[in-house]
Amino acid sequence: RVAASAAGTPRCWPRMARLFPLFCCLAAFAAPAAALRLGAPVMRTCDASRRKAAGRHLRQLAELQALPAAEACEAAQAALANMRAEGLPLNVDAVSRAISLCGCELPVAESLFESLVAAGNDSEGAYSCLLRAQLGSGDLDRALVTFRRMLQRGIAPRGRNASPVLHALCAAGRQVDAMRFSGRLVRHGLVLSQEDHAALLLLQRGVV
């Protein structure tokens, strides 16, 4: 039996009253934990669904390469708009592919690239795509500015972003700029390919 006080109140009640806030705190912590345990599978399912959707859009962008240039660029922009409409995060690979597809419309390609820069997602691949778009438009000086910008961001040069610029300098007969550019590449640790050396040699001999 529970002993009672003179007033008829069980003697253990004051002790239980002091412990009641602790019970409340434990319950408060337990409820979110249970919710997290229940929500984890749902979150994993959502993440998998988003990755699947992003992969679908990437495949669609890859298929656009078969279209005429202007039509491919327009379709690429529409694909990115659909990704945003579906609530998908900014995908560097998707935007980089769109940049490549919009080489015929340089302002569009550069605008797409700047969206990556604004989000802090300007990767080496994105710079390579923009450089090819600028060189494809015949804007060599603009490509040189982009290349310097890439180096300033701490992104090391690679053959796929450096060689096209070097060969464009050689094709344009800009010997001084080509030699300076190749020297900068070497200082950054890039080993020039045989094709790069051949282009420089032909330039020095006056054969371009």
Side-chain angles (χ1 to χ4, degrees):
R1 291 190 308 166
V2 179
S5 63
T9 303
R11 294 176 180 175
C12 63
W13 281 15
R15 187 179 304 167
M16 294 176 63
R18 289 194 299 270
L19 293 175
F20 184 74
L22 176 60
F23 295 150
C24 292
C25 290
L26 290 174
F29 281 110
L36 287 174
R37 286 195 299 271
L38 291 173
V42 176
M43 293 177 63
R44 286 194 295 268
T45 301
C46 291
D47 290 341
S49 178
R50 289 159 74 92
R51 285 193 299 269
K52 184 177 180 180
R56 184 182 72 254
H57 286 292
L58 284 173
R59 290 190 296 272
Q60 291 174 350
L61 285 167
E63 294 170 355
L64 297 179
Q65 296 176 351
L67 298 177
E71 186 177 346
C73 179
E74 183 177 354
Q77 295 178 75
L80 294 180
N82 290 336
M83 292 183 72
R84 287 190 293 268
E86 294 178 20
L88 297 174
L90 185 67
N91 188 296
V92 179
D93 293 334
V95 179
S96 296
R97 291 187 184 186
I99 292 172
S100 296
L101 292 167
C102 290
C104 63
E105 298 185 28
L106 191 54
V108 175
E110 292 179 336
S111 176
L112 292 172
F113 177 79
E114 292 302 331
S115 70
L116 291 177
V117 174
N121 291 328
D122 46 332
S123 64
E124 183 274 332
Y127 275 100
S128 296
C129 292
L130 179 61
L131 285 167
R132 287 195 295 270
Q134 292 171 331
L135 292 173
S137 299
D139 202 335
L140 178 53
D141 289 325
R142 206 178 191 92
L144 288 171
V145 172
T146 298
F147 194 88
R148 286 194 296 268
R149 184 180 179 185
M150 183 188 75
L151 297 181
Q152 292 170 356
R153 289 282 292 172
I155 299 175
R158 295 176 58 184
R160 67 175 182 175
N161 57 53
S163 290
V165 179
L166 178 60
H167 286 248
L169 287 170
C170 293
R174 295 169 57 169
Q175 183 172 348
V176 175
D177 291 335
M179 297 305 297
R180 287 177 177 172
F181 186 79
S182 62
R184 172 176 288 184
L185 298 179
V186 173
R187 287 193 299 273
H188 279 82
L190 181 65
V191 178
L192 300 182
S193 67
Q194 292 182 352
E195 291 78 7
D196 295 337
H197 285 294
L200 289 170
L201 182 61
L202 292 174
L203 178 62
Q204 292 171 349
R205 292 180 177 178
V207 180
V208 293

